Amino acid sequence: MLVPFMIAPVVVGYVWRFVLNSDYGPIIHILRQLGLGGLVEKPLLSNPSAAMPVLIVADAWEYIPFVTLVLLAGLKSIPYEPYEAAFVDGASSLQRFHYITLPLLRPSILVAVVIRTLTSLRVFDIVFIMTGGGPGTATETLAFYGYRTAFQAYNVGFSSAINMLTFGIAVVFTILYMKIIGGGKNYA
């Protein structure tokens, strides 16, 4: 279950590019066997409307094990005594989840969401391997755009500005998450 998180993002890109290959990819073959071949008449990575959702699925597939581990660690750290007291008081399982589990899991949720947001803002490898930013610019992320600006257009200054914008977005999202999920608490 942890394999997607442990392999390099470049390998994830190659795996998904193989799996989605229109000639010999297993997912495409299964869809055709199920009579859903019309969905994949045009290769998914060449379709401007389908390429970005496919990249999102591939990126999520890579990081779901990390989020699962963080949340599982948070669940394991919750003491049993509050549940026991709530059970004695007659709280339902939904009430126990809402009033005990969720508040005690907030720091773990905050860590998972912040780290996942930061990793999603810097997605480059999967885009580079699977689509190269295409078709056209349909799958171009900020990180890929910064790369293309610096190393293909030779505009390092503008590329630095793009990377600083990405940093600013990351800071804003982190602060928002700390206010919303963290309940205004200072976790620093």
Side-chain angles (χ1 to χ4, degrees):
M1 186 167 168
L2 296 175
V3 170
F5 183 63
M6 291 189 290
I7 59 179
V10 171
V11 176
V12 171
Y14 278 117
V15 165
W16 277 91
R17 197 169 79 178
F18 166 76
V19 166
L20 295 169
N21 188 290
S22 60
D23 295 329
Y24 51 81
I27 290 180
I28 306 303
H29 177 71
I30 291 169
L31 288 174
R32 287 183 180 141
Q33 294 297 323
L34 293 172
L36 301 172
L39 295 173
V40 290
E41 284 181 10
K42 187 175 184 182
L44 289 174
L45 296 176
S46 301
N47 185 347
S49 61
M52 186 57 90
V54 168
L55 287 176
I56 291 169
V57 167
D59 186 56
W61 177 79
E62 181 181 7
Y63 285 100
I64 283 174
F66 169 76
V67 173
T68 304
L69 283 176
V70 169
L71 294 179
L72 182 62
L75 283 172
K76 291 290 186 180
S77 70
I78 297 175
Y80 182 71
E81 289 79 16
Y83 291 107
E84 191 175 321
F87 184 75
V88 168
D89 290 341
S92 69
S93 58
L94 188 60
Q95 289 172 324
R96 288 189 302 258
F97 175 76
H98 186 265
Y99 293 108
I100 298 171
T101 306
L102 208 51
L104 294 176
L105 200 57
R106 272 185 158 181
S108 298
I109 293 171
L110 179 65
V111 167
V113 168
V114 167
I115 292 176
R116 187 61 195 109
T117 300
L118 296 177
T119 56
S120 66
L121 281 173
R122 64 175 186 80
V123 169
F124 171 81
D125 311 40
I126 292 176
V127 175
F128 185 78
I129 297 300
M130 290 179 68
T131 63
T137 58
T139 60
E140 199 168 65
T141 61
L142 274 174
F144 191 82
Y145 183 59
Y147 158 79
R148 198 169 53 80
T149 302
F151 296 107
Q152 291 176 352
Y154 303 110
N155 193 346
V156 178
F158 188 59
S159 176
S160 296
I162 292 167
N163 291 326
M164 290 305 294
L165 174 68
T166 305
F167 175 72
I169 292 170
V171 168
V172 168
F173 272 112
T174 302
I175 291 170
L176 283 174
Y177 291 150
M178 291 179 80
K179 295 281 185 202
I180 295 169
I181 297 173
K185 293 181 183 174
N186 186 7
Y187 288 107

